[in-house]
Amino acid sequence: MNMSRARERLVVIGGDAAGMSAASQARRLRGPDELEIVAFERGHFTSYSACGIPYWVGGDVTDRNQLIARTPEEHRARGIDLRLRTEVTELDLDGQRVRARDVDSGEESWTSYDELVIATGARPIRPDMPGADAAAVHGVQTLDDGQALLDTLERTRGRRAVVVGAGYIGVEMAEALINRGYEVTVVNRGSEPMSTLDPDMGRLVHTAMEGLGITMVNDAEVTEIPTGDGRVRAVVTQDREFPADVVVLGIGVRPETTLARAAGLPLGPHGGLLTDRSMRVRGHENIWAGGDCVEVLDLVSGQDRHVPLGTHANKHGQVIGTNIGGGYATFPGVVGTAVSKVCDLEIARTGLREKDARRVGLRFESVTIESTSRAGYYPNASPMTVKMLAEHRTGRLLGVQIVGREGAGKRVDIAAVALTAGMTVEQMTSLDLGYAPPFSPVWDPVLVAARKAAAKVRGSL
């Protein structure tokens, strides 16, 4: 610790979920006389819901400010020296300082630290091809990205949009653009949309997207995005061309660890920072990291993975802030739970897909069942498909995927708890879940799948 100052200084790089949660929690535990907090954010906004951007673009959320949980002014009022439009460009680990550049003026300065939090998030994957950096080609990761896309939509006369990629962001942005009156084509390199699902479940999403009027193009690799007069003209694949006035990238994201890599900090196989359970960067006593720039332990497979979700980022920040503040907290890992929707179709998954299980050497049994969201005789009962994976012989639950209408998505939480607890599908069949005809059949769809999986496991013994 630098003893030349009467108080310690915490420097935070990144002003969204993980970074500002860490700063806020540290401030709750340690007052301004004991801990100075300086936070750098290269954008215009702090503490916002990136997950809400597609709904803002699509018009479901009408005011950008609705996505902001805490403004810069609110952070400053709590004793955090928050510096917007300031990008950290270098980490000097030996000197315990960071170099930051004012984005607007270009002025640079060094700031020393006693504790450092790296919460640099993730960046949208941009394909390495002609036209990918054109102005009308948008990644959607930050609130600034969302505003830039809306600005493009406002000034673009044409109404043809192409979304490249069909993961969560790609699917959600396709629906948002349909809601804004665009003719939407989704170009996807996979066999079906939503690669976070097995292809048989992704097919259900494909059908729903086409029902919205979205043109789905699978098994297609984008090779070029032609431009002219500064505008996007089309998206080109190996054998076809799709006219476009705006292009949205939904290929996915990578951890933004450029600074960390240059400083020699430890990175995992997916390019994310590696931390211990306290969210301390491995091998560095006073450096912490959280959010979309880190890799986390998958409790089902036992391997590190990159899972960019706001839920995890906020938890990481709470853990980091608690530890810096003098308390004790840990982040044990994840089971890979996520939900999304296409119109009224709800999509959910947790745990491992078939290819995940094979990759880590697990043998498994797989079952798929059809059920309804409510008792069949109750009005508005809607169909639901549940797929469940259980480990061969042991019956340990490995993963669940659910696609259905109202009431389908959040049912995945039953499986998420079971996965975290290490339950077998046989044990799941005895879970005492809530029942009434307006909420579920007598046997909840997740338990129906568990019964079928348990029977298949018994048959394999």
Side-chain angles (χ1 to χ4, degrees):
M1 180 172 60
N2 188 339
M3 300 303 294
S4 65
R5 293 193 301 272
R7 56 179 176 167
E8 290 187 45
R9 177 182 290 157
L10 164 62
V11 167
V12 177
I13 308 173
D16 198 12
M20 298 318 293
S21 290
S24 297
Q25 178 67 355
R27 171 57 74 232
R28 291 186 194 100
L29 298 175
R30 299 177 68 181
D33 293 338
E34 187 179 351
L35 180 68
E36 177 187 3
I37 303 177
V38 179
F40 296 102
E41 167 54 46
R42 65 184 176 186
H44 293 86
F45 310 99
T46 59
S47 300
Y48 54 86
S49 172
C51 300
I53 293 173
Y55 309 109
W56 169 40
V57 172
D60 296 310
V61 176
T62 57
D63 186 347
R64 180 181 67 196
N65 291 335
Q66 293 175 265
L67 300 181
I68 299 174
R70 188 166 290 174
T71 65
E73 293 74 23
E74 289 173 318
H75 283 301
R76 290 171 184 143
R78 288 168 170 81
I80 297 171
D81 179 4
L82 176 61
R83 305 176 188 181
L84 292 178
R85 302 287 290 158
T86 308
E87 181 177 16
V88 174
T89 58
E90 184 180 350
L91 305 180
D92 176 6
L93 303 188
D94 293 333
Q96 291 195 187
R97 59 180 187 162
V98 304
R99 176 156 53 187
R101 178 179 63 86
D102 185 293
V103 174
D104 299 315
S105 70
E107 183 179 346
E108 293 189 334
S109 61
W110 287 95
T111 302
S112 59
Y113 64 82
D114 297 290
E115 303 282 349
L116 176 66
V117 175
I118 302 173
T120 44
R123 64 182 184 277
I125 296 172
R126 283 188 177 268
D128 184 15
M129 67 181 67
D133 293 325
V137 178
H138 292 270
V140 185
Q141 179 68 12
T142 68
L143 216 55
D144 287 279
D145 293 337
Q147 186 62 63
L149 173 58
L150 282 172
D151 292 344
T152 293
L153 297 178
E154 287 294 326
R155 63 175 177 259
T156 299
R157 294 181 180 179
R159 308 300 291 178
R160 300 168 301 182
V162 174
V163 177
V164 181
Y168 288 105
I169 290 296
V171 167
E172 290 169 355
M173 290 306 305
E175 181 183 353
L177 291 165
I178 281 284
N179 290 344
R180 291 185 65 90
Y182 277 74
E183 176 187 325
V184 179
T185 300
V186 176
V187 179
N188 175 38
R189 66 186 300 178
S191 61
E192 295 293 353
M194 297 297 291
S195 61
T196 52
L197 305 176
D198 288 324
D200 54 336
M201 299 294 281
R203 181 67 194 178
L204 302 176
V205 181
H206 183 161
T207 301
M209 293 177 70
E210 290 183 332
L212 282 175
I214 297 168
T215 300
M216 273 300 309
V217 182
N218 291 317
D219 297 312
E221 187 81 36
V222 176
T223 59
E224 183 183 359
I225 303 176
T227 60
D229 299 326
R231 295 183 297 168
V232 167
R233 298 295 186 186
V235 169
V236 177
T237 67
Q238 307 99 313
D239 53 9
R240 296 179 64 182
E241 180 172 308
F242 303 94
D245 302 296
V246 62
V247 176
V248 176
L249 301 176
I251 304 171
V253 298
R254 291 194 180 100
E256 178 48 85
T257 49
T258 306
L259 285 171
R261 184 183 298 276
L265 293 174
L267 305 180
H270 307 284
L273 275 156
L274 295 177
T275 70
D276 59 21
R277 289 165 69 98
S278 69
M279 304 308 299
R280 194 190 311 263
V281 174
R282 296 178 191 175
H284 296 268
E285 189 68 21
N286 64 336
I287 303 178
W288 314 76
D292 293 355
C293 66
V294 306
E295 297 189 14
V296 294
L297 175 65
D298 185 313
L299 297 174
V300 186
S301 70
Q303 297 188 339
D304 288 327
R305 59 182 295 197
H306 182 233
V307 186
L309 281 176
T311 51
H312 304 156
N314 278 285
K315 292 171 187 172
H316 295 167
Q318 286 288 306
V319 168
I320 293 168
T322 298
N323 290 324
I324 291 175
Y328 175 73
T330 62
F331 184 79
V334 304
V335 293
T337 309
V339 293
S340 187
K341 76 176 190 71
V342 179
C343 194
D344 64 341
L345 186 76
E346 299 180 6
I347 308 157
R349 57 75 49 91
T350 189
L352 307 182
R353 300 164 296 179
E354 290 189 359
K355 68 178 183 180
D356 299 325
R358 292 191 187 99
R359 185 172 61 245
V360 297
L362 291 170
R363 293 180 62 190
F364 60 89
E365 308 294 343
S366 171
V367 299
T368 302
I369 64 99
E370 305 287 336
S371 186
T372 55
S373 59
R374 303 169 178 171
Y377 56 79
Y378 194 87
N380 300 318
S382 58
M384 184 185 312
T385 303
V386 180
K387 181 173 183 177
M388 184 171 288
L389 273 62
E391 189 173 16
H392 180 67
R393 293 186 178 271
T394 71
R396 177 172 66 106
L397 179 67
L398 296 180
V400 171
Q401 299 165 39
I402 304 175
V403 177
R405 307 290 168 177
E406 181 184 5
K410 287 296 284 180
R411 271 185 164 88
V412 79
D413 289 341
I414 303 168
V417 172
L419 280 168
T420 304
M423 295 180 70
T424 68
V425 289
E426 187 76 54
Q427 290 171 327
M428 288 181 67
T429 63
S430 298
L431 287 173
D432 186 12
L433 304 183
Y435 161 70
F439 303 108
S440 76
V442 171
W443 281 92
D444 187 90
V446 173
L447 298 192
V448 174
R451 288 179 66 185
K452 187 172 181 179
K456 195 166 184 181
V457 168
R458 287 193 298 268
S460 70
L461 295 177

